[in-house]
Amino acid sequence: VVPLSAALVPSLLVFGVMGFVGEPVGIINQAYFTLIPVIAVADGIHMVSRFREELWELVPLGDRPSLDQKKAAIAQAMRRVGAACLLTSVTTMVGFFSLLMADMPILRSFGVYAGIGIGFAYLSVLLIIPLMLSVSRPRVSRRSLESMPLGRLLEGCAELTLRRPRTCLALTVLTQVRWPRSEEHTS
């Protein structure tokens, strides 16, 4: 719920800015309602996941964290994930702002507001997620992903890749090759 909440706010802010400057909602910029939340929720999930990991270090299994423990976990999660989220947000913004070089005004407009929306998404990760995490009531229930089936699957994939790198690379290349199809002719 925390990443989802933080993902909806940037879209609303972008449409608010568009309304303020008189930019109409058209066919292309309706994509902001899906584009911006997807990017924002990814950063939000990273932040919440790191927050949980920090809580595992601070709080005994089964206990509820105190406000001070939550604040410490939030601060540590922000330090560890905030810079990575900033870099991904900045590179995404630069990509969208590069549409300012397009010949079509509709693409230039799309790039500007998409870039602004990504900036709002990063700000929501910095401001909304910590606020929501500070009032949440998590219970520390698991220590690590390794004990979960997904963790074991991911660990197995890593071991396979490290044990047989050439085979994995060859299989990856083979899945990307376009094989010619035989066409059946019917009369």
Side-chain angles (χ1 to χ4, degrees):
V1 172
V2 172
L4 179 62
S5 301
L8 295 177
V9 170
S11 293
L12 297 175
L13 289 173
V14 166
F15 282 104
V17 168
M18 289 173 60
F20 182 74
V21 298
E23 179 74 24
V25 175
I27 292 173
I28 291 184
N29 58 16
Q30 287 178 13
Y32 300 145
F33 272 126
T34 55
L35 175 74
I36 295 168
V38 165
I39 293 169
V41 82
D43 285 348
I45 288 171
H46 288 299
M47 191 65 70
V48 171
S49 177
R50 188 62 197 199
F51 168 73
R52 298 290 297 194
E53 290 175 15
E54 296 301 329
L55 280 182
W56 291 337
E57 298 295 323
L58 296 171
V59 181
L61 190 61
D63 286 356
R64 288 202 186 274
S66 68
L67 181 58
D68 289 336
Q69 289 170 321
K70 286 193 287 186
K71 285 180 180 180
I74 290 167
Q76 191 65 10
M78 292 292 280
R79 276 192 290 277
R80 303 230 176 168
V81 179
C85 291
L86 174 66
L87 292 175
T88 59
S89 296
V90 167
T91 56
T92 305
M93 289 171 66
V94 167
F96 281 120
F97 287 142
S98 72
L99 289 174
L100 284 168
M101 297 178 159
D103 291 332
M104 298 173 61
I106 194 165
L107 285 179
R108 287 195 302 265
S109 174
F110 177 79
V112 166
Y113 292 108
I116 290 170
I118 300 306
F120 284 149
Y122 182 68
L123 288 176
S124 74
V125 167
L126 289 181
L127 303 173
I128 295 171
I129 289 181
L131 178 63
M132 294 183 76
L133 290 175
S134 70
V135 297
S136 67
R137 295 179 35 131
R139 181 181 299 274
V140 179
S141 59
R142 292 214 175 172
R143 283 283 175 198
S144 67
L145 187 63
E146 291 88 29
S147 63
M148 299 170 67
L150 177 61
R152 290 191 299 271
L153 173 70
L154 294 173
E155 185 177 333
C157 288
E159 287 176 11
L160 175 68
T161 303
L162 294 173
R163 199 171 45 244
R164 299 243 185 236
R166 289 186 179 117
T167 304
C168 291
L169 182 60
L171 288 172
T172 302
V173 169
L174 283 175
T175 61
Q176 302 303 312
V177 173
R178 296 266 178 174
W179 300 101
R181 295 183 184 175
S182 63
E183 294 187 27
E184 295 180 21
H185 297 283
T186 57
S187 355

